[in-house]
Amino acid sequence: MDWQNKLTQLLGITYPVIQAPMLGVTSPAMVAAISNAGGLGSLPVGGLSPEKTRQLIQEVKSSTDKPYSVNLFAHAIPDMDIAEAEVMRRNLNALIENNELQADIPNLENLTFYNYKEQIAILIEEKVPVVSFTFGIPDDTSIAEMKQHGIVLIGTATCTEEAILLAEKNIDAIVLQGIEAGGHRGSFIGGDVPQVGLMALVPMALKAVNIPLIASGAINSGATVKAAFALGATAVQIGTAFITAHESLAIASYKEALATAKDTDTKLTRAFSGRWARGIKNEFMEYVETSGLSTPPYPIQNSLTGPLRADAQNKDNKAFTNLWSGQAAALSANKLSSAEIFNNIIRETENL
Ligand SMILES: Cc1cc2nc3c(=O)[nH]c(=O)nc-3n(C[C@H](O)[C@H](O)[C@H](O)COP(=O)(O)O)c2cc1C
């Protein structure tokens, strides 16, 4: 099977298979493992401090000399509605007390939000070869700077209109995130969050834009990779299938939940972060969604719930942390190394 195409050549990789950046799950070791196996490993740094961003990039670079990508959250930071955030803060503190968790939600004036613009200089200094982004489009200056330094840019779209907006900015390739996908929706046009299935999205976007399209959502096997290529995708991006990998940062109970999840066990929620994201249903989601409270927008809610989620993770308590997952979780819960998961998918695809 000939895997080479326009995108593999642009990226300098062997297989058009990308390990999805998964903040909180993807470690530098996972990124390096996939890049060393001939795919494109993606390091998530969305919302992280400039110092942490540099440290993680350097960890990847110390383990691979192959191309990899770094993933940004390209959103604007909204003004905080103090009254709304304070009510949420107090309720989260009460939830912590009532559930034997040990976390303190910081006062609102102590919340820190990092903007992607603070990370661009580091990406350039560290000579990152590929930058992918989600939640929006970087401003024109940032795009121009990265392009001047030869960085390949990959955007994220959840509907055709977003793909067209990315194409108008001369982005090199687009991840099409179907509604099946785990984690945050990359959506950035206003109005209701787009809920387009991958089967509709790839052919629709293909008609509208003329740049390589990367299919993402419920891809975890030879059959699903082939299906994406048959639809017209140039590459695939795989997330959930790597959550159970040895190099994953996911806690044990999260990995267990993936292995037994039914196709109806995930849903979209704003409860954890203030942005729509797909995860396995749990107590925390239920609490926020039935509380009648107004959920502050991303990244405010994300920062408010952060300490609670961190404590739940320390206690391996899956009831109070985000269990991001795509719809086909159980099909891909192989407790193997990242490279083994990757190589199995490549082999299966070649055998079909
Ligand atoms: C745990 C988790 C975290 C994610 N974090 C990010 C992220 O930081 N940046 C990003 O662009 N996409 C993120 N995504 C979305 C993936 O890029 C991709 O769209 C999705 O994993 C594809 O669907 P699948 O999970 O069914 O393979 C995340 C997905 C998961 C499951």
Side-chain angles (χ1 to χ4, degrees):
M1 176 171 172
D2 184 9
W3 289 93
Q4 286 293 300
N5 60 35
K6 204 174 148 184
L7 192 62
T8 54
Q9 277 150 25
L10 181 67
L11 297 171
I13 57 177
T14 309
Y15 304 105
V17 177
I18 301 174
Q19 159 258 312
M22 294 184 284
L23 195 70
V25 167
T26 302
S27 61
M30 180 186 288
V31 178
I34 300 303
S35 289
N36 287 335
L40 187 74
S42 311
L43 179 73
V45 298
L48 300 185
S49 69
E51 300 72 40
K52 187 78 186 165
T53 301
R54 192 188 295 279
Q55 180 208 322
L56 292 171
I57 293 171
Q58 290 181 346
E59 280 182 44
V60 171
K61 283 163 64 172
S62 70
S63 307
T64 186
D65 52 7
K66 295 282 191 329
Y68 60 92
S69 89
V70 174
N71 177 259
L72 302 177
F73 291 166
H75 61 93
I77 297 177
D79 289 336
M80 195 184 316
D81 176 335
I82 302 283
E84 179 191 58
E86 186 53 28
V87 173
M88 180 57 76
R89 193 183 78 84
R90 272 192 260 120
N91 274 274
L92 292 174
N93 274 330
L95 185 73
I96 288 167
E97 244 183 78
N98 297 336
N99 289 280
E100 291 167 21
L101 293 165
Q102 282 131 339
D104 199 16
I105 311 294
N107 290 330
L108 301 184
E109 60 272 21
N110 295 334
L111 296 178
T112 312
F113 306 111
Y114 296 103
N115 188 296
Y116 71 89
K117 289 181 198 168
E118 300 172 64
Q119 296 169 307
I120 303 286
I122 293 169
L123 306 182
I124 292 170
E125 280 165 30
E126 294 293 333
K127 299 192 174 15
V128 168
V130 184
V131 169
S132 69
F133 53 86
T134 186
F135 301 176
I137 307 180
D139 66 309
D140 290 348
T141 312
S142 300
I143 291 181
E145 266 176 12
M146 290 191 280
K147 287 209 155 213
Q148 263 163 29
H149 287 86
I151 297 177
V152 177
L153 297 180
I154 302 179
T156 304
T158 60
C159 64
T160 303
E161 189 183 335
E162 290 172 349
I164 292 170
L165 292 172
L166 287 161
E168 283 170 1
K169 296 286 181 184
N170 284 324
I171 300 306
D172 297 295
I174 301 174
V175 172
L176 295 174
Q177 189 187 37
I179 193 63
E180 306 87 341
H184 282 102
R185 309 294 304 147
S187 311
F188 58 92
I189 53 164
D192 291 342
V193 68
Q195 302 200 30
V196 188
L198 198 61
M199 188 77 98
L201 185 53
V202 177
M204 297 280 281
L206 198 61
K207 275 184 84 168
V209 299
N210 191 21
I211 45 178
L213 299 176
I214 302 161
S216 188
I219 296 174
N220 48 40
S221 62
T224 46
V225 171
K226 281 266 181 183
F229 290 149
L231 289 175
T234 302
V236 295
Q237 176 161 300
I238 300 176
T240 299
F242 290 108
I243 300 177
T244 55
H246 299 335
E247 296 85 351
S248 157
L249 304 173
I251 56 174
S253 56
Y254 176 12
K255 292 183 174 182
E256 292 302 326
L258 285 170
T260 53
K262 298 197 291 288
D263 49 7
T264 50
D265 281 350
T266 68
K267 70 172 199 164
L268 294 183
T269 184
R270 287 183 63 243
F272 290 104
S273 72
R275 264 193 88 89
W276 290 107
R278 181 177 296 287
I280 297 175
K281 296 176 214 170
N282 69 357
E283 238 174 291
F284 182 82
M285 261 191 211
E286 170 84 15
Y287 170 79
V288 174
E289 288 171 4
T290 57
S291 65
L293 298 172
S294 163
T295 304
Y298 188 91
I300 298 161
Q301 179 73 353
N302 194 55
S303 294
L304 288 173
T305 64
L308 182 155
R309 290 182 284 130
D311 188 53
Q313 285 170 27
N314 283 337
K315 298 184 160 86
D316 194 19
N317 178 350
K318 69 181 164 88
F320 293 96
T321 189
N322 46 290
L323 308 172
W324 300 146
S325 166
Q327 291 179 329
L331 283 183
S332 58
N334 300 313
K335 292 179 186 159
L336 301 171
S337 71
S338 302
E340 284 166 332
I341 295 169
F342 180 87
N343 290 333
N344 284 348
I345 294 174
I346 297 293
R347 204 171 319 122
E348 271 180 40
T349 310
E350 287 178 336
N351 288 340
L352 275 174

